[in-house]
Amino acid sequence: MEAYIYDAIRTVRGKGNKKGALVGITPVELATQVLVALRERNNLDTSQVEDVILGCVGQVMDQAANIAKSAAQHSNYGDHLCGVTLNRFCGSGLESMNQAAAYVKSGFRTMMVAGGVESMSRVKMGSDGGGMFMDPALAIPGNIVPQGISADLIAALEGYSRDDLDAFAVESQKRAAQAQEDGRFTSRIPVKDVNGITVLGHDENIRPTTSMEGLATLNPSFAMMGEMGGFNAVAVDKYPQVETLENVHHAGNSSAIVDGAAVALIGSKEAGEAMGLKPRFKVCAAAVIGTDPTIMLVGPAPASRKALKQAGMEKGDIDLFEVNEAFAAVPMRFMDDLGVPHDKINVNGGAIAMGHPLGATGCMLAGTLMDELERQDKNTGLITLCIGGGMGIATIIERV
């Protein structure tokens, strides 16, 4: 049985701090607004939707107590609608889609909603604590370092200079600004307040005037923890071919911290036909893979190879790629590792420009890719993200 994606919708992304436009919007409300938009855009008979899976990384405070079920209840889809919240760190939004597709392909479900939500202005990154990053008994034997140090390690091993990383960041901003100006984000909705008044109608973090000169003034984000915290030494000890680790990532060439939510409608052919829905894409393959937790962020390429093998495809069969820009070194290494040109990757910019709302990003990338494949009249796409702790995830979709 095939699993089809009938639609995907995301909110605009607001800066994830106390000055961000969406700080007054709860994460339950963010998730509810995309659920409502999905229903309205597709004239959806919600009695036929069986379950909601949402990715969310910081499952505490406003995002605690199974936010998927909370949003399902708040959306007025009906009391029958179940909800489950998962956490595969940065891959959570795509993992939710993959799990929904697996349920449909198995025949256990016929129509589901999957996606993710993260309000990083209200629930700060790391608020949930956790053994991997907080317990020395885990971190020390595993040589686990902060993600920024891992990104700097990739840059050192691959020979990426700070100028190389900054040039990639400038291009991300340029592409995102052009896409926003051209109206390419057709599955993006504004976020409104309780009175129905638009609070934010665009991706707040895009900075069209970003330049190499401006980025050159920014201080490295991970230099203090790298040197004073000893994490640079841990990385060099694990990878001695790097004699000295230079900290080259900063706020301008790393993913922005933002708020946002996204959902996709995934179901069987029969269920869609019964509801009068037309599928847009089918899920061809989905893969995850583990990597060394010190370098941590190199999972996209091996996960993509695994998904390609599963689908019986080669990289040349993929028309467009969405690779999460957690740090500039991540997509740059993916391009070098897999041998994919930049003009096929993140053609509308990425998380460096628009931001990375942890639990939602994977689903956002899928929706962006679907819209762009249709706009360019192309057929196949691959979404992939690096994941904290040393993992990678990839999903291949094909236009119907």
PDB file of all heavy atoms in Angstrom, residues 193-226:
ATOM      1  N   ASP A 193      -3.883  36.465  16.084  1.00  0.00           N
ATOM      2  CA  ASP A 193      -4.180  36.444  17.510  1.00  0.00           C
ATOM      3  C   ASP A 193      -5.612  35.959  17.736  1.00  0.00           C
ATOM      4  O   ASP A 193      -6.313  35.558  16.790  1.00  0.00           O
ATOM      5  CB  ASP A 193      -3.934  37.809  18.153  1.00  0.00           C
ATOM      6  CG  ASP A 193      -4.854  38.902  17.603  1.00  0.00           C
ATOM      7  OD1 ASP A 193      -5.879  38.572  16.957  1.00  0.00           O
ATOM      8  OD2 ASP A 193      -4.566  40.079  17.831  1.00  0.00           O
ATOM      9  N   VAL A 194      -6.071  35.994  18.985  1.00  0.00           N
ATOM     10  CA  VAL A 194      -7.395  35.465  19.315  1.00  0.00           C
ATOM     11  C   VAL A 194      -8.520  36.241  18.646  1.00  0.00           C
ATOM     12  O   VAL A 194      -9.640  35.748  18.510  1.00  0.00           O
ATOM     13  CB  VAL A 194      -7.617  35.452  20.848  1.00  0.00           C
ATOM     14  CG1 VAL A 194      -6.672  34.464  21.514  1.00  0.00           C
ATOM     15  CG2 VAL A 194      -7.445  36.851  21.432  1.00  0.00           C
ATOM     16  N   ASN A 195      -8.224  37.469  18.199  1.00  0.00           N
ATOM     17  CA  ASN A 195      -9.236  38.292  17.533  1.00  0.00           C
ATOM     18  C   ASN A 195      -9.201  38.156  16.014  1.00  0.00           C
ATOM     19  O   ASN A 195      -9.944  38.834  15.309  1.00  0.00           O
ATOM     20  CB  ASN A 195      -9.040  39.762  17.912  1.00  0.00           C
ATOM     21  CG  ASN A 195      -9.208  39.995  19.397  1.00  0.00           C
ATOM     22  OD1 ASN A 195     -10.199  39.568  19.981  1.00  0.00           O
ATOM     23  ND2 ASN A 195      -8.248  40.669  20.013  1.00  0.00           N
ATOM     24  N   GLY A 196      -8.328  37.266  15.530  1.00  0.00           N
ATOM     25  CA  GLY A 196      -8.220  37.071  14.091  1.00  0.00           C
ATOM     26  C   GLY A 196      -7.379  38.111  13.391  1.00  0.00           C
ATOM     27  O   GLY A 196      -7.362  38.186  12.157  1.00  0.00           O
ATOM     28  N   ILE A 197      -6.660  38.904  14.153  1.00  0.00           N
ATOM     29  CA  ILE A 197      -5.792  39.940  13.577  1.00  0.00           C
ATOM     30  C   ILE A 197      -4.404  39.347  13.343  1.00  0.00           C
ATOM     31  O   ILE A 197      -3.843  38.690  14.218  1.00  0.00           O
ATOM     32  CB  ILE A 197      -5.696  41.158  14.503  1.00  0.00           C
ATOM     33  CG1 ILE A 197      -7.092  41.787  14.682  1.00  0.00           C
ATOM     34  CG2 ILE A 197      -4.711  42.181  13.965  1.00  0.00           C
ATOM     35  CD1 ILE A 197      -7.149  42.864  15.742  1.00  0.00           C
ATOM     36  N   THR A 198      -3.833  39.568  12.165  1.00  0.00           N
ATOM     37  CA  THR A 198      -2.526  39.016  11.825  1.00  0.00           C
ATOM     38  C   THR A 198      -1.433  39.600  12.722  1.00  0.00           C
ATOM     39  O   THR A 198      -1.272  40.818  12.812  1.00  0.00           O
ATOM     40  CB  THR A 198      -2.192  39.287  10.348  1.00  0.00           C
ATOM     41  OG1 THR A 198      -3.140  38.596   9.519  1.00  0.00           O
ATOM     42  CG2 THR A 198      -0.788  38.798  10.019  1.00  0.00           C
ATOM     43  N   VAL A 199      -0.722  38.718  13.379  1.00  0.00           N
ATOM     44  CA  VAL A 199       0.406  39.100  14.234  1.00  0.00           C
ATOM     45  C   VAL A 199       1.698  39.135  13.426  1.00  0.00           C
ATOM     46  O   VAL A 199       2.551  39.995  13.605  1.00  0.00           O
ATOM     47  CB  VAL A 199       0.548  38.104  15.408  1.00  0.00           C
ATOM     48  CG1 VAL A 199       1.789  38.400  16.232  1.00  0.00           C
ATOM     49  CG2 VAL A 199      -0.692  38.133  16.288  1.00  0.00           C
ATOM     50  N   LEU A 200       1.831  38.154  12.510  1.00  0.00           N
ATOM     51  CA  LEU A 200       3.026  38.071  11.667  1.00  0.00           C
ATOM     52  C   LEU A 200       2.623  37.437  10.338  1.00  0.00           C
ATOM     53  O   LEU A 200       2.013  36.376  10.316  1.00  0.00           O
ATOM     54  CB  LEU A 200       4.115  37.235  12.352  1.00  0.00           C
ATOM     55  CG  LEU A 200       5.447  37.128  11.620  1.00  0.00           C
ATOM     56  CD1 LEU A 200       6.130  38.498  11.531  1.00  0.00           C
ATOM     57  CD2 LEU A 200       6.383  36.137  12.326  1.00  0.00           C
ATOM     58  N   GLY A 201       2.998  38.091   9.246  1.00  0.00           N
ATOM     59  CA  GLY A 201       2.614  37.602   7.929  1.00  0.00           C
ATOM     60  C   GLY A 201       3.771  37.233   7.033  1.00  0.00           C
ATOM     61  O   GLY A 201       3.587  36.930   5.857  1.00  0.00           O
ATOM     62  N   HIS A 202       5.001  37.281   7.564  1.00  0.00           N
ATOM     63  CA  HIS A 202       6.181  36.939   6.775  1.00  0.00           C
ATOM     64  C   HIS A 202       7.192  36.246   7.678  1.00  0.00           C
ATOM     65  O   HIS A 202       7.051  36.264   8.903  1.00  0.00           O
ATOM     66  CB  HIS A 202       6.807  38.204   6.181  1.00  0.00           C
ATOM     67  CG  HIS A 202       7.282  39.170   7.231  1.00  0.00           C
ATOM     68  ND1 HIS A 202       6.416  40.034   7.889  1.00  0.00           N
ATOM     69  CD2 HIS A 202       8.512  39.399   7.758  1.00  0.00           C
ATOM     70  CE1 HIS A 202       7.102  40.752   8.761  1.00  0.00           C
ATOM     71  NE2 HIS A 202       8.369  40.378   8.711  1.00  0.00           N
ATOM     72  N   ASP A 203       8.204  35.622   7.086  1.00  0.00           N
ATOM     73  CA  ASP A 203       9.263  34.997   7.887  1.00  0.00           C
ATOM     74  C   ASP A 203      10.159  36.088   8.446  1.00  0.00           C
ATOM     75  O   ASP A 203      10.886  36.773   7.704  1.00  0.00           O
ATOM     76  CB  ASP A 203      10.066  34.005   7.039  1.00  0.00           C
ATOM     77  CG  ASP A 203       9.244  32.773   6.687  1.00  0.00           C
ATOM     78  OD1 ASP A 203       8.609  32.214   7.592  1.00  0.00           O
ATOM     79  OD2 ASP A 203       9.247  32.361   5.515  1.00  0.00           O
ATOM     80  N   GLU A 204      10.104  36.236   9.761  1.00  0.00           N
ATOM     81  CA  GLU A 204      10.639  37.428  10.418  1.00  0.00           C
ATOM     82  C   GLU A 204      12.156  37.524  10.374  1.00  0.00           C
ATOM     83  O   GLU A 204      12.718  38.620  10.474  1.00  0.00           O
ATOM     84  CB  GLU A 204      10.154  37.442  11.881  1.00  0.00           C
ATOM     85  CG  GLU A 204      10.392  38.733  12.609  1.00  0.00           C
ATOM     86  CD  GLU A 204       9.813  38.725  14.025  1.00  0.00           C
ATOM     87  OE1 GLU A 204       9.532  37.622  14.549  1.00  0.00           O
ATOM     88  OE2 GLU A 204       9.654  39.820  14.589  1.00  0.00           O
ATOM     89  N   ASN A 205      12.848  36.390  10.223  1.00  0.00           N
ATOM     90  CA  ASN A 205      14.302  36.415  10.367  1.00  0.00           C
ATOM     91  C   ASN A 205      15.045  36.703   9.061  1.00  0.00           C
ATOM     92  O   ASN A 205      16.246  36.941   9.077  1.00  0.00           O
ATOM     93  CB  ASN A 205      14.791  35.080  10.934  1.00  0.00           C
ATOM     94  CG  ASN A 205      16.213  35.160  11.447  1.00  0.00           C
ATOM     95  OD1 ASN A 205      16.477  35.765  12.476  1.00  0.00           O
ATOM     96  ND2 ASN A 205      17.154  34.582  10.700  1.00  0.00           N
ATOM     97  N   ILE A 206      14.359  36.665   7.920  1.00  0.00           N
ATOM     98  CA  ILE A 206      15.047  36.885   6.646  1.00  0.00           C
ATOM     99  C   ILE A 206      15.641  38.296   6.617  1.00  0.00           C
ATOM    100  O   ILE A 206      14.969  39.279   6.906  1.00  0.00           O
ATOM    101  CB  ILE A 206      14.079  36.690   5.460  1.00  0.00           C
ATOM    102  CG1 ILE A 206      13.589  35.238   5.407  1.00  0.00           C
ATOM    103  CG2 ILE A 206      14.761  37.054   4.142  1.00  0.00           C
ATOM    104  CD1 ILE A 206      12.561  34.980   4.326  1.00  0.00           C
ATOM    105  N   ARG A 207      16.918  38.370   6.257  1.00  0.00           N
ATOM    106  CA  ARG A 207      17.631  39.657   6.229  1.00  0.00           C
ATOM    107  C   ARG A 207      18.228  39.861   4.829  1.00  0.00           C
ATOM    108  O   ARG A 207      19.369  39.428   4.560  1.00  0.00           O
ATOM    109  CB  ARG A 207      18.731  39.675   7.295  1.00  0.00           C
ATOM    110  CG  ARG A 207      18.218  39.490   8.720  1.00  0.00           C
ATOM    111  CD  ARG A 207      19.328  39.545   9.766  1.00  0.00           C
ATOM    112  NE  ARG A 207      20.305  38.482   9.595  1.00  0.00           N
ATOM    113  CZ  ARG A 207      20.166  37.243  10.066  1.00  0.00           C
ATOM    114  NH1 ARG A 207      19.072  36.908  10.738  1.00  0.00           N
ATOM    115  NH2 ARG A 207      21.105  36.349   9.870  1.00  0.00           N
ATOM    116  N   PRO A 208      17.504  40.511   3.931  1.00  0.00           N
ATOM    117  CA  PRO A 208      17.961  40.670   2.546  1.00  0.00           C
ATOM    118  C   PRO A 208      19.273  41.430   2.396  1.00  0.00           C
ATOM    119  O   PRO A 208      19.972  41.266   1.390  1.00  0.00           O
ATOM    120  CB  PRO A 208      16.816  41.448   1.884  1.00  0.00           C
ATOM    121  CG  PRO A 208      15.637  41.254   2.769  1.00  0.00           C
ATOM    122  CD  PRO A 208      16.185  41.112   4.152  1.00  0.00           C
ATOM    123  N   THR A 209      19.605  42.258   3.381  1.00  0.00           N
ATOM    124  CA  THR A 209      20.820  43.077   3.266  1.00  0.00           C
ATOM    125  C   THR A 209      22.060  42.385   3.819  1.00  0.00           C
ATOM    126  O   THR A 209      23.120  43.001   3.910  1.00  0.00           O
ATOM    127  CB  THR A 209      20.629  44.406   4.014  1.00  0.00           C
ATOM    128  OG1 THR A 209      20.331  44.136   5.403  1.00  0.00           O
ATOM    129  CG2 THR A 209      19.479  45.208   3.408  1.00  0.00           C
ATOM    130  N   THR A 210      21.949  41.119   4.189  1.00  0.00           N
ATOM    131  CA  THR A 210      23.097  40.390   4.725  1.00  0.00           C
ATOM    132  C   THR A 210      24.260  40.431   3.736  1.00  0.00           C
ATOM    133  O   THR A 210      24.083  40.192   2.540  1.00  0.00           O
ATOM    134  CB  THR A 210      22.725  38.922   5.008  1.00  0.00           C
ATOM    135  OG1 THR A 210      21.674  38.894   5.973  1.00  0.00           O
ATOM    136  CG2 THR A 210      23.914  38.154   5.557  1.00  0.00           C
ATOM    137  N   SER A 211      25.449  40.722   4.250  1.00  0.00           N
ATOM    138  CA  SER A 211      26.636  40.833   3.392  1.00  0.00           C
ATOM    139  C   SER A 211      27.822  40.164   4.063  1.00  0.00           C
ATOM    140  O   SER A 211      27.816  39.910   5.274  1.00  0.00           O
ATOM    141  CB  SER A 211      26.970  42.302   3.129  1.00  0.00           C
ATOM    142  OG  SER A 211      27.352  42.947   4.344  1.00  0.00           O
ATOM    143  N   MET A 212      28.835  39.882   3.273  1.00  0.00           N
ATOM    144  CA  MET A 212      30.071  39.327   3.815  1.00  0.00           C
ATOM    145  C   MET A 212      30.685  40.291   4.834  1.00  0.00           C
ATOM    146  O   MET A 212      31.204  39.861   5.871  1.00  0.00           O
ATOM    147  CB  MET A 212      31.064  39.049   2.685  1.00  0.00           C
ATOM    148  CG  MET A 212      30.649  37.960   1.717  1.00  0.00           C
ATOM    149  SD  MET A 212      30.652  36.316   2.483  1.00  0.00           S
ATOM    150  CE  MET A 212      32.418  36.029   2.671  1.00  0.00           C
ATOM    151  N   GLU A 213      30.606  41.574   4.535  1.00  0.00           N
ATOM    152  CA  GLU A 213      31.183  42.581   5.429  1.00  0.00           C
ATOM    153  C   GLU A 213      30.466  42.586   6.774  1.00  0.00           C
ATOM    154  O   GLU A 213      31.095  42.665   7.843  1.00  0.00           O
ATOM    155  CB  GLU A 213      31.111  43.966   4.791  1.00  0.00           C
ATOM    156  CG  GLU A 213      31.957  44.146   3.549  1.00  0.00           C
ATOM    157  CD  GLU A 213      31.383  43.467   2.308  1.00  0.00           C
ATOM    158  OE1 GLU A 213      30.161  43.147   2.308  1.00  0.00           O
ATOM    159  OE2 GLU A 213      32.147  43.250   1.344  1.00  0.00           O
ATOM    160  N   GLY A 214      29.149  42.482   6.724  1.00  0.00           N
ATOM    161  CA  GLY A 214      28.384  42.462   7.970  1.00  0.00           C
ATOM    162  C   GLY A 214      28.640  41.217   8.786  1.00  0.00           C
ATOM    163  O   GLY A 214      28.803  41.279  10.019  1.00  0.00           O
ATOM    164  N   LEU A 215      28.693  40.065   8.134  1.00  0.00           N
ATOM    165  CA  LEU A 215      28.939  38.812   8.853  1.00  0.00           C
ATOM    166  C   LEU A 215      30.338  38.786   9.457  1.00  0.00           C
ATOM    167  O   LEU A 215      30.560  38.148  10.497  1.00  0.00           O
ATOM    168  CB  LEU A 215      28.751  37.618   7.910  1.00  0.00           C
ATOM    169  CG  LEU A 215      27.330  37.382   7.389  1.00  0.00           C
ATOM    170  CD1 LEU A 215      27.290  36.127   6.517  1.00  0.00           C
ATOM    171  CD2 LEU A 215      26.323  37.265   8.526  1.00  0.00           C
ATOM    172  N   ALA A 216      31.274  39.458   8.831  1.00  0.00           N
ATOM    173  CA  ALA A 216      32.668  39.467   9.322  1.00  0.00           C
ATOM    174  C   ALA A 216      32.788  40.134  10.684  1.00  0.00           C
ATOM    175  O   ALA A 216      33.764  39.908  11.413  1.00  0.00           O
ATOM    176  CB  ALA A 216      33.569  40.165   8.315  1.00  0.00           C
ATOM    177  N   THR A 217      31.802  40.940  11.062  1.00  0.00           N
ATOM    178  CA  THR A 217      31.862  41.645  12.349  1.00  0.00           C
ATOM    179  C   THR A 217      31.362  40.786  13.513  1.00  0.00           C
ATOM    180  O   THR A 217      31.511  41.186  14.671  1.00  0.00           O
ATOM    181  CB  THR A 217      31.012  42.928  12.298  1.00  0.00           C
ATOM    182  OG1 THR A 217      29.624  42.579  12.150  1.00  0.00           O
ATOM    183  CG2 THR A 217      31.432  43.811  11.133  1.00  0.00           C
ATOM    184  N   LEU A 218      30.763  39.630  13.223  1.00  0.00           N
ATOM    185  CA  LEU A 218      30.176  38.795  14.269  1.00  0.00           C
ATOM    186  C   LEU A 218      31.223  37.917  14.934  1.00  0.00           C
ATOM    187  O   LEU A 218      32.093  37.349  14.262  1.00  0.00           O
ATOM    188  CB  LEU A 218      29.056  37.921  13.679  1.00  0.00           C
ATOM    189  CG  LEU A 218      27.898  38.679  13.032  1.00  0.00           C
ATOM    190  CD1 LEU A 218      26.894  37.702  12.444  1.00  0.00           C
ATOM    191  CD2 LEU A 218      27.217  39.597  14.049  1.00  0.00           C
ATOM    192  N   ASN A 219      31.108  37.791  16.239  1.00  0.00           N
ATOM    193  CA  ASN A 219      32.039  36.952  16.985  1.00  0.00           C
ATOM    194  C   ASN A 219      31.638  35.482  16.886  1.00  0.00           C
ATOM    195  O   ASN A 219      30.445  35.160  16.856  1.00  0.00           O
ATOM    196  CB  ASN A 219      32.072  37.367  18.462  1.00  0.00           C
ATOM    197  CG  ASN A 219      32.664  38.738  18.677  1.00  0.00           C
ATOM    198  OD1 ASN A 219      33.630  39.121  18.005  1.00  0.00           O
ATOM    199  ND2 ASN A 219      32.095  39.492  19.599  1.00  0.00           N
ATOM    200  N   PRO A 220      32.598  34.570  16.851  1.00  0.00           N
ATOM    201  CA  PRO A 220      32.286  33.135  16.847  1.00  0.00           C
ATOM    202  C   PRO A 220      31.432  32.775  18.055  1.00  0.00           C
ATOM    203  O   PRO A 220      31.714  33.203  19.182  1.00  0.00           O
ATOM    204  CB  PRO A 220      33.660  32.473  16.906  1.00  0.00           C
ATOM    205  CG  PRO A 220      34.604  33.494  16.375  1.00  0.00           C
ATOM    206  CD  PRO A 220      34.048  34.813  16.805  1.00  0.00           C
ATOM    207  N   SER A 221      30.390  31.998  17.830  1.00  0.00           N
ATOM    208  CA  SER A 221      29.434  31.687  18.898  1.00  0.00           C
ATOM    209  C   SER A 221      29.966  30.664  19.893  1.00  0.00           C
ATOM    210  O   SER A 221      29.507  30.621  21.043  1.00  0.00           O
ATOM    211  CB  SER A 221      28.126  31.166  18.292  1.00  0.00           C
ATOM    212  OG  SER A 221      27.512  32.141  17.497  1.00  0.00           O
ATOM    213  N   PHE A 222      30.917  29.833  19.469  1.00  0.00           N
ATOM    214  CA  PHE A 222      31.296  28.690  20.295  1.00  0.00           C
ATOM    215  C   PHE A 222      32.748  28.733  20.757  1.00  0.00           C
ATOM    216  O   PHE A 222      33.278  27.730  21.250  1.00  0.00           O
ATOM    217  CB  PHE A 222      31.017  27.400  19.518  1.00  0.00           C
ATOM    218  CG  PHE A 222      29.616  27.355  18.967  1.00  0.00           C
ATOM    219  CD1 PHE A 222      29.370  27.661  17.633  1.00  0.00           C
ATOM    220  CD2 PHE A 222      28.540  27.082  19.793  1.00  0.00           C
ATOM    221  CE1 PHE A 222      28.079  27.658  17.122  1.00  0.00           C
ATOM    222  CE2 PHE A 222      27.239  27.080  19.298  1.00  0.00           C
ATOM    223  CZ  PHE A 222      27.010  27.374  17.966  1.00  0.00           C
ATOM    224  N   ALA A 223      33.373  29.903  20.619  1.00  0.00           N
ATOM    225  CA  ALA A 223      34.780  30.020  20.986  1.00  0.00           C
ATOM    226  C   ALA A 223      34.993  29.871  22.498  1.00  0.00           C
ATOM    227  O   ALA A 223      35.898  29.168  22.943  1.00  0.00           O
ATOM    228  CB  ALA A 223      35.340  31.352  20.509  1.00  0.00           C
ATOM    229  N   MET A 224      34.144  30.518  23.291  1.00  0.00           N
ATOM    230  CA  MET A 224      34.334  30.463  24.738  1.00  0.00           C
ATOM    231  C   MET A 224      34.126  29.053  25.275  1.00  0.00           C
ATOM    232  O   MET A 224      34.953  28.530  26.034  1.00  0.00           O
ATOM    233  CB  MET A 224      33.411  31.442  25.445  1.00  0.00           C
ATOM    234  CG  MET A 224      33.587  31.453  26.965  1.00  0.00           C
ATOM    235  SD  MET A 224      32.702  32.794  27.794  1.00  0.00           S
ATOM    236  CE  MET A 224      33.597  34.228  27.195  1.00  0.00           C
ATOM    237  N   MET A 225      33.010  28.388  24.873  1.00  0.00           N
ATOM    238  CA  MET A 225      32.783  27.038  25.357  1.00  0.00           C
ATOM    239  C   MET A 225      33.814  26.069  24.788  1.00  0.00           C
ATOM    240  O   MET A 225      34.172  25.082  25.423  1.00  0.00           O
ATOM    241  CB  MET A 225      31.362  26.583  25.043  1.00  0.00           C
ATOM    242  CG  MET A 225      31.044  26.385  23.576  1.00  0.00           C
ATOM    243  SD  MET A 225      29.397  25.645  23.311  1.00  0.00           S
ATOM    244  CE  MET A 225      28.314  26.913  23.952  1.00  0.00           C
ATOM    245  N   GLY A 226      34.294  26.383  23.590  1.00  0.00           N
ATOM    246  CA  GLY A 226      35.301  25.521  22.985  1.00  0.00           C
ATOM    247  C   GLY A 226      36.625  25.573  23.713  1.00  0.00           C
ATOM    248  O   GLY A 226      37.235  24.539  23.988  1.00  0.00           O
TER     249      GLY A 226
END
